[in-house]
Amino acid sequence: MASAQEPTTGPRLTQRRRAAGEPAHPADPAYLDLDALERQARELLPPDVVDHFAGGADRETTLGEATAAWRAWRLRPRVLTDVGPVALATTLLGTDVATPVGIAPWAHQAMAHPEGERATARGAAATGALVTVSTSSTTSLEDVAAVRPTGPRWFQLYRLHSPAHTDDLARRAGRAGYTALVLTADLPVLGRRLRDLRNDFALPAGLPLPHHPPADGTGPAPAGTPRWTTADIARFADLSGLPVVVKGVLRGDDAARCVAAGASAVWVSTHGGRQADPVVASAAALPEVVEAVGTEAEVYADGGIRSGSDVLTALALGARAVFVGRPAIWGLATGGADGVARVIGGLTGELAHTMALCGLDDVRAVGRDAVARAAWR
């Protein structure tokens, strides 16, 4: 039984845990409740903007199954392992990060908060997390770099415009000190986002899109339907001078082809359930991709990560890191940089707590035997 000097809940315990560098307990006021955070963001943002960020494609089957797919696995704790402080730091393509939880790219962040990607970059920097900047960001990649000159950052590339314009973006990312180029490969055409169609959604007038050609027609002409092949992996690596990550991989054979063509990493992703629907969930696709790649390249995952146990499951299935999108959006909308930092810090704290409960003390050494399929499935 705890003594009066060792409370089991409440602000005093929260303060003690913070002072000791421990994660908050679910009973503490500091506990991160992502559902409550989303509800708060919905109260602050216009309904059509919420739908733009929250919605998926077609019937949203993929979107709805994303988190449940991680919960189809069960943790297998070890006991009597002399677990000490949990080591959370790792490397991504040789770059040091303080947590295996990174921020996925997402577009139009100034619709969630006036500071947009600048605030997201500061929030990531506060937690030592990697941030991925979108081609459709509302802040230029150079300005994000100025906010975070030494922090780990990647640039995500779409082919939305002329080849010359896209190639120039790749070169700019290399010159601006980004440490990887992320090719989003699952967008040959835009998915049917029905919420946007029902709302007749349009970007606000004057929303800056510095990586897109000017809307007055003075920029390069669009290239039509984007057509990328595995040959573009090596080409973009040469253009940018950066390692290339291929994002949107859901098949082992595709992963192997990308690595054979020069990809340094593959990123298992359903694009937030916003492209083809229904498709296999990231949690279901991850083991096949990891097996196909072996030790030849790093593997990452996103899609429905909502808790520290989800992160641990992904690590056990072979991901070196995970990325979150919508939780970071809601953090940005409700608290700017501090809100983003709280989301990443909260998930990282939950991960550390869950790992300690499972007898694990290093994110770089989580094995496949840490999880099993739920017996009832």
Side-chain angles (χ1 to χ4, degrees), residues 82-88 352 356 360-362:
D82 190 26
V83 126
V86 175
L88 297 164
L360 302 167
D361 62 6
D362 193 330

Side-chain angles (χ1 to χ4, degrees), residues 39-66:
R39 290 193 296 270
Q40 184 182 354
R42 287 176 177 274
E43 294 175 357
L44 296 172
L45 299 175
D48 63 333
V49 171
V50 170
D51 274 350
H52 177 67
F53 287 139
D58 291 322
R59 292 174 176 81
E60 299 190 346
T61 303
T62 303
L63 176 64
E65 292 178 348

Side-chain angles (χ1 to χ4, degrees), residues 88-90 92 97-102 127-130 321 344 347-348 351 363:
L88 297 164
T90 188
L92 303 181
V97 293
T99 171
V101 182
T127 59
L130 188 146
I344 300 301
L347 287 170
T348 302
L351 171 64
V363 296

Side-chain angles (χ1 to χ4, degrees), residues 361-377:
D361 62 6
D362 193 330
V363 296
R364 297 164 297 182
V366 176
R368 178 64 175 76
D369 63 346
V371 295
R373 281 281 187 183
W376 52 267
R377 298 186 68 88

Side-chain angles (χ1 to χ4, degrees), residues 290-304:
V290 169
E291 182 178 5
V293 167
T295 60
E296 297 300 311
E298 294 182 3
V299 179
Y300 318 122
D302 68 21

Side-chain angles (χ1 to χ4, degrees), residues 76 132 146 159 334:
R76 301 179 67 233
T132 315
R159 184 179 178 184
T334 57

